[in-house]
């Protein structure tokens, strides 16, 4: 099924201004999610990075609502008295009725207000609320599903909070409630069932059933229209969760999702087409290093090279200056994240590099947390041997330097044969003997608890990539999140990404994809797929993504073997690029970071909010129209793999330096092609007009609410 490309939904567009102003002083925004000040998955990153922009827009009228988790509150939240009088009265009334509701500031950028609800404290209401859920929605929740029980408690408490806020206001405000994911969705359904004067938005970041189906090796996208969703959810014992998610999607004034590919999924599984796409952004300022990002790449690459020297001690028979670092990172979902196809492509790449007698060596890192019991002893020994060699070299260097200095002081040229004595040679020989190794460098840096059944290690045994001297592709599996305090690879994730040459994310199921987005804002090229939200977004908004270091792998319309061959081709051609071509490509990749900034992508959330308010209050009626936009190809010939191969005879490096690439001129053209960042309304004066995307070509408020 082809993906519909609706320019009115997802294009970065130049749009008409609102035909009337809307004063945010009369509106209150509640953003409700289980991951507010409670890191569980990717939604935490979405809310945390977006908070500063939303707080600037809504000021004192923006409140995040989440669960109270004491361990998180101690380190992330400053508890204070509520600043809004109506909200203070609502919280006091709930607390006097047997609840525990806390108010504070979340200590992240933007310092947004948070309302945290202790769901465990009101667990005595669970049976009563479950009965009400069954009576009103015919949804039964089993007693043993703790996560669903928490969703019930959280949903009823958030609906209670929103109802109390509305009743405590002297003049009814325009209350807007934005709910994320099924864990928060019940509160939305209760707001509609109780007919509260609340405009509601529901965002699904990944459908619950879709994630389960893809995890079961189902041909998901080719059978979307044929699934019996009730049966599939029941077979997986998630029918009650699925019902909560579907009810929230159907009841919301505005239903959104994070990408076009997830919109197609939601339309078939949740039976409602999203009103608007709200892509996930990043706070690009966090990663911004101005023109220093190339220097940061070199510094981080040197640190990775030091790790490689220790890991491959005794077998360091390749040139580190001609070594490329590739990586894949994320949840350990072997097939969904594309680790299976990546490993197969690496085996084929190894064959191509060997038969072509390439002097390039590829080191592929797998950063996926798995069950381990400790570091691998052989891996730790490698870093100890490297450090010992370094200390030996430093000692000999100091002795050599002292003798050289003393010789020059007396006006004599040094006698090289006397600069190193017998002890120095003995010390160096012992250091060399210490680097002898009888086994191959380890694949995994840790001791796995289920080594024989681990998917990555099982696949490596099948394809035969054992880090032997003959292999041009080396594999390192690091089954733990990176940390700057690690004794093995002391780098945090951002530093590590900056030091790599290419991120590879050939995912089969990826509703958005923060990992390739993070690569982009740090100037690191990446491979994504047309089944990921990020890949679809870049494919739609950039005329030639590969010219900017964004390679889109076709996993939608090709079979597994064809996709694997395409990935192998991308990797092999990337290995053939010159160093200068890679530098040019990183410059272009980094310039795309503005496309992923919340100051650009936040406009989609603004559009969804105004649409929801327009559907609740009919006189809040705004019109807008969309015009498509695509980021053009770069002015000069792109150094993408498909266009960087030289005809025979091979050009020299000197000839390459004279080609027609002009960094400053190209950068200026690229800057002109990106829309200016979002201008927020002034809290002291009249609201400024917004530039907003459309939604299905409808006027806000024109569509009826789906029940």
């Amino acid at each position: 099924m082809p993906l519909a490309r609706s320019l009115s939904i997802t294009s970065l567009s130049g749009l008409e201004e609102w035909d009337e102003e809307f004063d945010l002083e009369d509106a209150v925004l509640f953003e409700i999610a289980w991951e507010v000040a409670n890191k569980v998955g990717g939604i935490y990153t979405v809310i945390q990075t977006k908070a500063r922009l939303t707080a600037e827009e809504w000021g004192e009228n923006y409140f995040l609502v989440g669960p109270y988790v004491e361990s998180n509150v101690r380190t992330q939240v400053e508890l204070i008295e509520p600043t809004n009088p109506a909200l203070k009265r609502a919280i006091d009334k709930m607390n006097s009725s047997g609840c525990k509701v806390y108010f504070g500031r979340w200590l992240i950028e933007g310092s947004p207000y948070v309302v945290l609800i202790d769901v465990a404290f009101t667990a005595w209401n669970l049976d009563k609320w479950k009965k009400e859920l069954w009576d009103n929605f015919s949804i039964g929740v089993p007693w043993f599903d703790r996560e669903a029980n928490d969703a019930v408690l959280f949903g009823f408490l958030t609906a209670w909070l929103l109802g109390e806020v509305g009743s405590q206001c002297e003049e009814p405000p325009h209350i807007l409630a934005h709910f994320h994911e099924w864990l928060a969705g019940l509160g939305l359904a209760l707001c509609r069932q109780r007919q509260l004067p609340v405009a509601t938005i529901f965002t699904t970041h990944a459908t619950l059933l879709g994630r389960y189906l893809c995890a079961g090796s189902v041909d998901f996208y080719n059978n979307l229209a044929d699934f019996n969703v009730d049966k599939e959810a029941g077979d997986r014992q998630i029918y009650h969760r699925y019902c909560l998610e579907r009810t929230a999607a159907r009841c919301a004034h505005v239903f959104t999702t994070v990408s076009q590919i997830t919109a197609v999924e939601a339309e078939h599984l949740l039976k409602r087409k999203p009103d608007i796409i709200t892509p996930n952004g990043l706070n690009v300022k966090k990663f911004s290093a101005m023109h220093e990002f190339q220097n940061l790449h070199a510094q981080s690459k040197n640190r990775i090279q030091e790790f490689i020297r220790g890991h491959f001690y005794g077998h360091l028979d390749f040139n580190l200056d001609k070594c490329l670092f590739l990586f894949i990172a994320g949840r350990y979902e072997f097939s969904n994240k594309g680790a299976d196809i990546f490993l197969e492509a690496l085996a084929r790449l190894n064959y191509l590099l060997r038969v072509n007698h390439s002097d390039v060596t590829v080191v592929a890192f797998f950063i996926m947390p798995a069950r381990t019991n400790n570091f691998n002893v052989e891996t730790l020994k490698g870093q100890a041997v490297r450090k010992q060699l370094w200390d030996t070299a430093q000692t000999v260097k100091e002795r050599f330097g002292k003798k050289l200095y003393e010789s020059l002081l007396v006006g004599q040229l040094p006698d090289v044969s006397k600069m190193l004595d017998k002890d120095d040679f003995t010390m160096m020989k012992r250091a060399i003997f210490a680097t002898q190794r009888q086994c191959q460098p380890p694949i995994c840096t840790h001791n796995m608890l289920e080594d024989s059944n681990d998917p990555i290690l099982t696949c490596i045994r099948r394809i035969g990539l054992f880090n032997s001297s003959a292999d041009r592709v080396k594999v390192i599996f690091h089954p733990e999140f990176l940390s700057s305090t690690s004794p093995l690879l002391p780098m945090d994730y951002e530093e590590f990404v900056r030091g790599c040459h290419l991120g590879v994310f050939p995912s089969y199921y990826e509703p958005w994809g923060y990992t390739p987005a993070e690569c982009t804002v740090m100037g690191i090229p990446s491979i994504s797929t047309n089944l990921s939200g990020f890949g679809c977004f870049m494919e739609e908004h950039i005329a030639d993504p590969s010219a900017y270091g964004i390679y889109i792998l076709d996993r939608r319309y090709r079979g597994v073997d064809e996709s694997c061959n395409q990935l192998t081709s991308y990797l092999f051609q990337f290995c053939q690029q010159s160093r200068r071509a890679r530098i040019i490509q990183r410059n272009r990749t980094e310039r795309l970071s503005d496309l992923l900034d919340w100051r650009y992508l936040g406009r989609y959330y603004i559009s969804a909010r105004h649409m929801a308010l327009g559907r609740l209050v009919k006189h809040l009626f705004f019109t807008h129209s969309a015009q498509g936009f695509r980021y053009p190809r770069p002015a000069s010939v792109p150094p993408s793999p498909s266009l960087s191969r030289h005809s025979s005879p091979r050009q020299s490096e000197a000839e390459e330096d004279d080609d027609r690439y002009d960094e400053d001129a190209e950068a200026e053209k690229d800057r002109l092609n990106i829309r200016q960042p979002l201008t927020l309304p002034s809290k002291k004066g009249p609201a400024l007009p917004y530039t907003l995307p459309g939604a299905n070509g409808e006027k806000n408020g024109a569509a009826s609410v789906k029940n």
Side-chain angles (χ1 to χ4, degrees):
M1 181 192 308
L3 296 179
R5 297 291 186 188
S6 178
L7 289 175
S8 64
I9 293 183
T10 59
S11 290
L12 290 176
S13 46
L15 303 165
E16 293 180 5
E17 299 175 355
W18 296 93
D19 55 7
E20 63 177 279
E21 295 174 354
F22 179 69
D23 191 359
L24 293 180
E25 296 291 348
D26 295 331
V28 180
L29 171 62
F30 290 91
E31 194 159 5
I32 301 148
W34 188 257
E35 297 197 34
V36 170
N38 178 38
K39 187 169 185 177
V40 178
I43 302 170
Y44 177 91
T45 303
V46 175
I47 295 171
Q48 182 194 42
T49 56
K50 184 173 62 69
R52 178 174 62 87
L53 181 72
T54 313
E56 288 177 3
E57 178 195 354
W58 288 78
E60 299 290 308
N61 295 343
Y62 174 50
F63 305 97
L64 288 159
V65 181
Y68 177 85
V69 181
E70 187 171 357
S71 59
N72 295 332
V73 171
R74 287 177 178 176
T75 58
Q76 299 183 42
V77 179
E78 177 191 7
L79 297 178
I80 59 175
E81 284 294 313
T83 55
N84 184 296
L87 181 60
K88 185 179 188 309
R89 290 193 293 270
I91 291 176
D92 289 342
K93 187 170 181 180
M94 289 183 67
N95 286 337
S96 64
S97 301
C99 301
K100 272 193 177 181
V101 183
Y102 301 85
F103 186 86
R105 280 194 182 274
W106 192 4
L107 301 179
I108 59 173
E109 196 166 359
S111 300
Y113 291 125
V114 288
V115 179
L116 302 176
I117 303 172
D118 191 340
V119 296
F121 193 77
T122 51
W124 52 275
N125 280 315
L126 183 60
D127 290 338
K128 180 181 73 173
W129 286 342
K130 278 187 177 181
K131 182 180 183 303
E132 187 176 338
L133 179 63
W134 174 258
D135 291 341
N136 294 325
F137 298 97
S138 299
I139 299 175
V141 177
W143 63 270
F144 56 80
D145 190 341
R146 181 172 179 177
E147 196 171 16
N149 288 336
D150 287 341
V152 171
L153 293 169
F154 189 57
F156 273 88
L157 288 166
T158 52
W160 186 354
L161 174 70
L162 294 172
E164 284 293 344
V165 170
S167 64
Q168 294 294 336
C169 292
E170 298 176 359
E171 296 182 5
H174 299 302
I175 299 177
L176 179 61
H178 190 156
F179 298 81
H180 293 268
E181 282 296 304
W182 72 275
L183 280 163
L186 179 57
L188 185 154
L190 289 168
C191 287
R192 298 306 306 277
Q193 184 264 330
R194 296 172 181 177
Q195 298 183 349
L196 299 180
V198 178
T200 57
I201 304 171
F202 181 67
T203 297
T204 180
H205 296 260
T207 67
L208 195 66
L209 183 56
R211 195 176 289 280
Y212 273 82
L213 286 169
C214 285
S217 301
V218 173
D219 187 5
F220 181 64
Y221 293 100
N222 288 325
N223 293 288
L224 264 177
D226 303 325
F227 286 123
N228 182 337
V229 291
D230 294 317
K231 179 181 181 301
E232 295 291 349
D235 289 346
R236 288 158 178 79
Q237 300 183 14
I238 58 166
Y239 185 67
H240 54 290
R241 297 186 181 194
Y242 167 73
C243 288
L244 290 173
E245 182 180 40
R246 183 168 169 178
T247 300
R250 300 281 289 178
C251 289
H253 289 102
V254 173
F255 174 44
T256 81
T257 189
V258 298
S259 64
Q260 280 282 9
I261 191 71
T262 312
V264 175
E265 176 187 338
E267 186 176 358
H268 287 90
L269 301 186
L270 300 181
K271 308 304 180 184
R272 178 176 177 181
K273 184 177 181 179
D275 298 289
I276 191 168
I277 307 300
T278 52
N280 291 334
L282 285 164
N283 184 1
V284 173
K285 183 179 178 182
K286 172 186 174 185
F287 298 106
S288 178
M290 303 304 289
H291 298 292
E292 285 294 310
F293 80 97
Q294 293 282 12
N295 295 334
L296 293 176
H297 165 73
Q299 293 168 11
S300 297
K301 183 179 70 173
N302 288 339
R303 297 185 64 183
I304 297 176
Q305 287 177 340
E306 283 300 302
F307 168 78
I308 295 297
R309 289 186 177 100
H311 192 81
F312 289 92
Y313 83 92
H315 295 271
L316 199 64
D317 50 4
F318 52 90
N319 186 353
L320 281 176
D321 290 332
K322 293 186 178 180
C323 185
L324 299 179
F325 301 136
L326 280 53
F327 81 99
I328 182 174
R331 284 188 305 274
Y332 196 176
E333 297 177 7
F334 183 65
S335 297
N336 280 359
K337 294 299 183 183
D340 53 351
I341 192 175
F342 185 29
L343 279 168
E344 184 63 39
L346 287 175
R348 299 180 187 187
L349 174 66
N350 185 52
Y351 171 78
L352 289 176
L353 293 175
R354 290 175 64 177
V355 299
N356 286 278
H357 304 290
S358 174
D359 59 355
V360 173
T361 301
V362 171
V363 178
F365 289 88
F366 287 74
I367 312 296
M368 292 181 161
R371 297 180 62 201
T372 64
N373 59 16
N374 214 326
F375 292 107
N376 186 307
V377 173
E378 187 65 23
T379 307
L380 288 172
K381 180 184 175 183
Q383 300 308 312
V385 169
R386 177 194 61 79
K387 188 176 184 305
Q388 182 183 10
L389 280 174
W390 175 258
D391 292 341
T392 299
Q394 290 297 107
T395 301
V396 174
K397 184 179 75 172
E398 289 177 5
R399 293 182 181 181
F400 184 95
K402 185 177 180 181
K403 292 177 181 178
L404 176 62
Y405 172 67
E406 290 174 348
S407 178
L408 294 177
L409 276 178
V410 299
Q412 295 179 356
L413 289 176
D415 184 353
V416 178
S417 62
K418 297 181 179 179
M419 297 302 292
L420 295 175
D421 56 28
K422 194 173 183 179
D423 290 340
D424 294 329
F425 281 103
T426 301
M427 186 184 301
M428 290 188 290
K429 287 178 182 178
R430 289 180 61 183
I432 292 172
F433 290 161
T435 63
Q436 294 180 1
R437 195 179 211 169
Q438 303 303 319
C439 61
Q440 300 284 8
I443 297 289
C444 188
T445 59
H446 292 61
N447 296 321
M448 302 291 291
L449 289 180
E450 298 178 356
D451 184 290
S452 59
N453 298 321
D454 182 78
I456 287 180
L457 296 181
T458 301
C459 185
I460 288 173
R461 294 183 188 106
R462 178 180 61 82
I463 61 180
L465 285 180
F466 298 127
N467 292 344
S468 68
S469 297
D471 289 331
R472 304 308 328 137
V473 173
K474 319 289 186 181
V475 177
I476 298 175
F477 180 23
H478 190 280
E480 193 177 75
F481 287 123
L482 295 170
S483 170
S484 58
T485 60
S486 170
L488 195 63
L489 184 57
M491 302 178 72
D492 60 28
Y493 181 72
E494 180 185 340
E495 288 180 295
F496 176 79
V497 172
R498 284 193 183 276
C500 290
H501 296 91
L502 182 70
V504 185
F505 313 103
S507 304
Y508 182 74
Y509 185 78
E510 190 70 80
W512 176 245
Y514 260 123
T515 42
E518 288 166 340
C519 285
T520 302
V521 301
M522 288 187 276
I524 303 301
S526 63
I527 297 176
S528 188
T529 74
N530 58 358
L531 290 181
S532 73
F534 174 83
C536 291
F537 180 83
M538 286 301 191
E539 201 169 35
E540 183 172 0
H541 293 99
I542 305 174
D544 185 6
S546 62
Y548 288 91
I550 308 295
Y551 304 105
I552 310 298
L553 185 67
D554 185 3
R555 296 202 66 181
R556 177 73 170 130
Y557 304 109
R558 298 193 185 195
V560 175
D561 190 61
E562 288 181 289
S563 297
C564 189
N565 284 334
Q566 185 185 18
L567 177 56
T568 305
S569 177
Y570 282 158
L571 296 176
F572 182 62
Q573 293 165 11
F574 187 83
C575 292
Q576 291 180 307
Q577 288 190 79
S578 66
R579 181 174 178 272
R580 182 171 183 273
R582 293 197 301 269
I583 291 173
I584 292 172
Q585 191 176 63
R586 283 197 295 272
N587 286 333
R588 289 177 178 156
T589 303
E590 194 270 342
R591 286 202 297 273
L592 293 181
S593 59
D594 281 342
L595 291 177
L596 301 170
D597 193 347
W598 274 120
R599 290 196 173 274
Y600 290 90
L601 300 183
R603 64 187 67 190
Y604 297 104
Y605 278 86
I606 294 174
S607 181
R609 292 171 197 141
H610 281 267
M611 187 185 297
L613 286 167
R615 291 179 177 180
L616 176 70
V617 187
K618 299 303 179 184
H619 70 271
L620 294 177
F621 195 83
F622 307 103
T623 60
H624 49 76
S625 62
Q627 299 173 355
F629 170 74
R630 279 172 71 82
Y631 203 85
R633 293 180 62 185
S636 61
V637 178
S640 63
S642 60
L643 296 174
S644 62
R645 289 172 289 177
H646 297 283
S647 59
S648 183
R650 175 70 164 85
Q651 287 178 296
S652 68
E653 295 294 327
E655 288 174 331
E656 280 192 282
D657 290 338
D658 294 329
D659 68 13
R660 49 212 172 273
Y661 175 72
D662 187 333
E663 165 67 21
D664 293 335
E666 187 177 291
E668 182 59 30
K669 289 181 180 179
D670 283 349
R671 278 192 291 271
L672 293 175
N673 284 320
I674 300 180
R675 299 291 185 260
Q676 290 300 310
L678 185 65
T679 302
L680 295 175
S682 170
K683 302 299 290 183
K684 299 296 183 181
L688 301 177
Y690 294 99
T691 300
L692 295 170
N696 300 339
E698 297 178 0
K699 295 179 178 180
N700 291 359
S704 61
V705 177
K706 299 182 181 180
N707 295 309

